[in-house]
Amino acid sequence: MANSAARPHVPEEELHAYCDGELSPAQRVEIAEHLLGCLICRSQHAMVEAVRLRSASLLAIAVPAQIRRGKVPAPPVVAPRRRWFGIAVGTAAALIGAVVWSQLAPSSAGPSGAQLANTLGVSNLFGLRPTTVDSAAGNRSRQLEMMTRTIVPPQMKSLADFARVSSAQTAVIPAEVDPVFTSDWTPAAYEDAIKVGNGSLARVDGVPVANVRIHPSAIGGRPTFMVRQQLPDGRTVWVFEGLEPDIAPVNQVLLASGITISMVTRTHPEYVGAGVDARISTRMVTVVGYLSVDSLNALVSRLTLR
Amino acid sequence: MAFDIDGLYRTTYDSVVRFLYRKVWDADRAEDLAQEVFMRALAHEPEKPRSWVFAVAANIARDEARSAIRKRKHLVLMTHEPMVAPSPNDDVAETMDHAEQEAEVKRALEMLSPRDRDVLLLWDAGLSYPEIAEQTHLALGAVGTTLARARKRLVEAHDSMEADRGEQRRTTARS
């Protein structure tokens, strides 16, 4: 015991190795004996153990849901050559898609090809991309993309873009008041709103819907929906869903209000208008609330269209 | 000795997914990449399979990070089904709390140096000091030092974020 007490204090990294079980049996015995007789090292050992446990518990938070639920997929039994089979199938599908697309794709003269594709119901099948969206809509899309990155700090409210927003709108709105509200937003029962939305309406799955407001489309298409949902702890989130040109100004107002906006999701392209005026547009969906952006993005993963 | 992919998969799959997830922060992508790692293991039949899969996972994650910077995708195509099917047992509030906590851990991890982070993640994935030394090209004696520093910095970074958040709450409550 006298020998172990005379040993110099155990360095911190050695205590980590000791706690990690990475020392040889002889080293372990030596340190264990030293700890018995050295108050300073015992205290240091307790601190190391606390840091080890704390860091392990922090890392345990960053684990994918599938692993947390204990779902492990079957091991790979596919021989490498079968991957070539997959590539071959993919290539064949792409070639078929390309041939059909060459037959159906709109010419530079207008959207007739895409319209035909839509009529035949193949647009989703072959993943047709919007081709007649105007550049302004494209710009708005990029703007929306930028808006998803961060919560705009209060000092940005003075930007010229937001100058038209009234002081009432820039104030922090209590959770019980809808973040965007004018007389144009008509209240509707949830079931009625679904009918107006032709059977589909974006909402966060598993969260009760408190009410819905509907705003007419400025471009004569599907209206914009504001679905208010109540979380179990009483906090409120709103799901905004509408055509891209309609939702952009709504998002501007939301952004200026200081409320947090989730990342933006969008649906498959849809046609707006008819004949030569037909344009392809997409439905944009955001979740909004007085919550952290991480919480809202977590809710985005639960978005569903009924 | 015959290469035992089933045994390797059973004993390391979770660790590989966890390791990759903390690199790419996308659960589905982490699983895809883990499958890719095991496919490669199947083709190579490495001598030291355990450390080999983590070496490959680290390389794949590095390549993934480079390509993610090139094509950052904020817009996600939404189909008529939930994008991620939530488990019926998932509580919404719990999901949100977890997302917040995870974001904090992610930020804390990002405050570590790449070497410290790698050593910490490899240790948490279950690699021994000699295996970590081999993979990170550190001297065996340096692994303990690096790991001790990494753990301490992770905890300090997280504590500092918690303190900031507490201060923000107090300020909000006062105003």
Side-chain angles (χ1 to χ4, degrees):
Chain A
M1 186 64 82
N3 283 344
S4 61
R7 182 196 195 276
H9 294 308
V10 184
E12 191 183 349
E13 63 272 17
E14 211 170 326
L15 283 173
H16 276 266
Y18 174 74
C19 294
D20 290 339
E22 290 285 339
L23 296 179
S24 68
Q27 286 172 310
R28 281 191 66 78
V29 169
E30 189 189 339
I31 290 181
E33 279 184 356
H34 178 80
L35 288 175
L36 282 173
C38 179
L39 192 62
I40 292 172
C41 286
R42 266 214 306 279
S43 151
Q44 180 74 1
H45 174 246
M47 282 170 64
V48 164
E49 195 59 271
V51 168
R52 270 184 86 244
L53 292 176
R54 185 81 202 293
S55 61
S57 67
L58 287 176
L59 288 175
I61 294 170
V63 172
Q66 293 93 319
I67 299 290
R68 285 203 306 277
R69 292 180 201 139
K71 288 180 185 170
V72 178
V77 290
V78 183
R81 65 177 179 278
R82 289 191 56 187
R83 294 175 66 207
W84 291 105
F85 174 75
I87 293 167
V89 169
T91 311
L95 280 171
I96 293 168
V99 169
V100 174
W101 171 248
S102 67
Q103 298 297 314
L104 301 178
S107 66
S108 56
S112 56
Q115 276 179 284
L116 176 60
N118 192 46
T119 310
L120 294 173
V122 296
S123 58
N124 284 350
L125 185 63
F126 291 102
L128 295 185
R129 309 297 303 164
T131 53
T132 53
V133 176
D134 60 24
S135 61
N139 289 338
R140 276 192 290 272
S141 170
R142 279 189 289 279
Q143 191 178 9
L144 280 175
E145 187 178 340
M146 291 299 292
M147 283 158 65
T148 65
R149 295 189 180 176
T150 49
I151 308 166
V152 174
Q155 61 269 26
M156 284 190 71
K157 286 175 191 164
S158 60
L159 283 175
D161 281 353
F162 304 134
R164 62 187 176 78
V165 178
S166 70
S167 58
Q169 282 169 321
T170 53
V172 174
I173 304 164
E176 63 271 14
V177 177
D178 289 333
V180 176
F181 178 69
T182 63
S183 55
D184 295 342
W185 288 87
T186 316
Y190 181 60
E191 294 303 326
D192 293 339
I194 288 175
K195 282 180 197 155
V196 174
N198 289 328
S200 76
L201 184 60
R203 63 179 171 79
V204 178
D205 196 35
V207 181
V209 173
N211 62 46
V212 183
R213 286 186 187 275
I214 305 174
H215 189 271
S217 167
I219 55 169
R222 180 188 172 81
T224 304
F225 295 91
M226 172 166 57
V227 177
R228 176 177 171 164
Q229 296 186 260
Q230 206 80 38
L231 296 170
D233 61 3
R235 289 183 292 181
T236 306
V237 291
W238 291 266
V239 178
F240 281 86
E241 181 223 302
L243 296 175
E244 195 175 337
D246 290 326
I247 207 91
V250 172
N251 273 292
Q252 276 196 343
V253 174
L254 289 171
L255 198 61
S257 77
I259 201 167
T260 311
I261 306 175
S262 73
M263 65 180 178
V264 181
T265 60
R266 61 178 172 183
T267 62
H268 290 299
E270 294 174 35
Y271 282 89
V272 179
V276 290
D277 295 329
R279 286 191 305 154
I280 297 176
S281 187
T282 49
R283 282 154 69 184
M284 313 294 286
V285 187
T286 50
V287 184
V288 168
Y290 295 102
L291 304 168
S292 77
V293 74
D294 299 316
S295 295
L296 293 171
N297 286 342
L299 292 177
V300 166
S301 70
R302 301 175 70 100
L303 273 178
T304 181
L305 290 180
R306 172 163 162 180
Chain B
M1 198 174 77
F3 177 65
D4 177 17
I5 182 71
D6 280 348
L8 178 69
Y9 192 87
R10 251 195 330 274
T11 53
T12 56
Y13 177 82
D14 275 8
S15 306
V16 172
V17 173
R18 267 205 308 270
F19 177 77
L20 284 165
Y21 180 67
R22 291 160 184 169
K23 297 270 188 180
V24 300
W25 298 104
D26 178 330
D28 292 335
R29 195 70 195 124
E31 291 209 323
D32 288 348
L33 295 177
Q35 290 289 333
E36 175 67 24
V37 169
F38 286 100
M39 287 297 293
R40 289 193 195 180
L42 197 59
H44 281 78
E45 302 193 357
E47 279 180 26
K48 295 179 182 173
R50 196 175 155 69
S51 38
W52 188 92
V53 291
F54 283 101
V56 172
N59 288 338
I60 284 184
R62 203 171 300 126
D63 294 345
E64 178 75 7
R66 284 185 194 131
S67 76
I69 289 168
R70 282 199 297 272
K71 45 170 186 178
R72 233 176 236 288
K73 45 181 183 185
H74 287 274
L75 295 176
V76 184
L77 272 180
M78 193 170 72
T79 64
H80 288 251
E81 297 296 327
M83 286 174 290
V84 175
S87 157
N89 299 326
D90 268 6
D91 178 59
V92 176
E94 202 177 293
T95 306
M96 288 162 54
D97 283 348
H98 186 266
E100 282 183 30
Q101 289 171 6
E102 189 178 272
E104 280 186 354
V105 173
K106 181 184 175 188
R107 283 196 288 274
L109 273 172
E110 281 167 354
M111 289 164 85
L112 304 186
S113 71
R115 171 158 292 180
D116 287 4
R117 188 165 55 235
D118 274 352
V119 169
L120 183 61
L121 295 184
L122 288 170
W123 165 255
D124 194 67
L127 265 62
S128 65
Y129 281 21
E131 286 172 325
I132 295 172
E134 189 183 333
Q135 187 164 324
T136 55
H137 308 294
L138 281 170
L140 183 57
V143 173
T145 316
T146 311
L147 188 55
R149 185 176 57 230
R151 282 170 170 158
K152 218 158 141 184
R153 286 189 178 164
L154 178 74
V155 170
E156 283 170 0
H158 192 264
D159 284 351
S160 133
M161 277 186 289
E162 274 194 334
D164 287 349
R165 200 176 46 187
E167 182 58 35
Q168 275 175 4
R169 278 184 185 152
R170 278 192 293 277
T171 310
T172 311
R174 275 199 296 270
S175 63

